[in-house]
């Protein structure tokens, strides 16, 4: 269900990777073009295995439907949350960071439902994006999701991830954490997006040193094309 081909208009560079902890997982990423905007999201459903995968599939379906009618990611998350919260006797939930990129102007509009905020990639390095974090989807039916705005200049990018990255464990039970993630991004912030995502997965695998994954791992990177 996950996209393999990404938009490339105006030099846009995108890449994503997902490694499930089991044969099926509860993480997801999605990218779709709607008019002059690219919608993109990374999410992480509670639980593992088939139950989490089904909840994720429902979230993906709703995201693709609401992206075509919502004015911004905040409205989209609110609509998805209402649907997921109804008759949710199992009390499952999913964290999601969702955003749109205006291809022509570089404006990014975003909303965050309990998900780790992405990193902004610029020539001076990588800095965590400040977001207003609202409840995960599926928890509070009438929750509202505030919208934030930022601008990506030519060559600037974003790096999105799930907590399976920072919570990866080695055989001793140590967590990888945010400091190694930030150090990796500082060194490789200018790399193309496929190199960035694949390299990050390799770094985490090397840290884990064969320990079984405790959680699904998802990464996504996007970068605007250089000025013409």
């Amino acid at each position: 269900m996950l996209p393999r081909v990404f938009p490339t208009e105006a030099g846009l560079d995108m890449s994503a990777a997902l490694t499930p902890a089991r044969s099926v997982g509860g993480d997801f990423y999605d990218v779709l073009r709607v008019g002059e905007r690219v919608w993109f999201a990374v999410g992480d459903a509670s639980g593992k295995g088939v139950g989490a995968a089904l909840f994720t599939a429902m979230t993906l379906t709703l995201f693709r439907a609401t992206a075509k009618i919502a004015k911004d990611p905040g409205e989209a998350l609110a609509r998805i949350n209402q649907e997921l919260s109804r008759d949710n006797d199992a009390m499952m939930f999913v964290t999601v960071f969702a955003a749109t990129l205006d291809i022509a102007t570089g404006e990014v509009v975003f909303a965050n439902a309990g998900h780790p905020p992405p990193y902004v990639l610029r020539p001076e390095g990588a800095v965590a994006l400040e977001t207003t974090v609202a409840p995960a989807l599926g928890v509070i039916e009438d929750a509202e999701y505030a919208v934030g705005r930022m601008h990506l200049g030519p060559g600037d990018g974003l790096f999105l991830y799930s907590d399976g990255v920072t919570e990866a464990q080695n055989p001793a039970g140590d967590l990888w954490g945010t400091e190694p993630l930030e150090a990796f991004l500082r060194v490789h912030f200018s790399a193309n997006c496929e190199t960035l995502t694949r390299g990050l997965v390799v770094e985490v695998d090397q840290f884990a040193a064969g320990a079984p994954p405790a959680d699904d791992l998802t990464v996504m990177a996007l970068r605007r094309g250089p000025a013409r």
Side-chain angles (χ1 to χ4, degrees), residues 56-73:
T56 293
M58 185 184 305
T59 305
L60 263 174
T61 301
L62 291 170
F63 177 73
R64 291 170 181 174
T66 55
K68 298 175 182 177
I69 59 175
K71 69 178 184 295
D72 58 46

Side-chain angles (χ1 to χ4, degrees), residues 90-180:
M91 293 302 294
M92 296 191 71
F93 60 89
V94 56
T95 68
V96 180
F97 179 89
T100 63
L101 168 66
D102 186 301
I103 297 173
T105 68
E107 181 186 45
V108 176
V109 182
F110 58 88
N112 191 351
H115 199 78
Y119 284 85
V120 183
L121 308 177
R122 290 194 168 114
E124 58 268 25
V127 179
L129 178 66
E130 293 186 7
T131 69
T132 300
V133 181
L137 307 181
V139 178
I140 303 172
E141 186 171 348
D142 59 353
E144 297 182 354
Y145 297 88
V147 167
R149 299 177 186 273
M150 56 92 63
H151 180 262
L152 290 180
D156 292 346
L158 286 173
F159 183 87
L160 291 71
Y161 67 101
S162 68
D163 60 11
V165 172
T166 53
E167 295 179 6
Q169 297 184 23
N170 64 14
D174 302 319
L175 299 181
W176 199 53
T178 57
E179 289 186 7

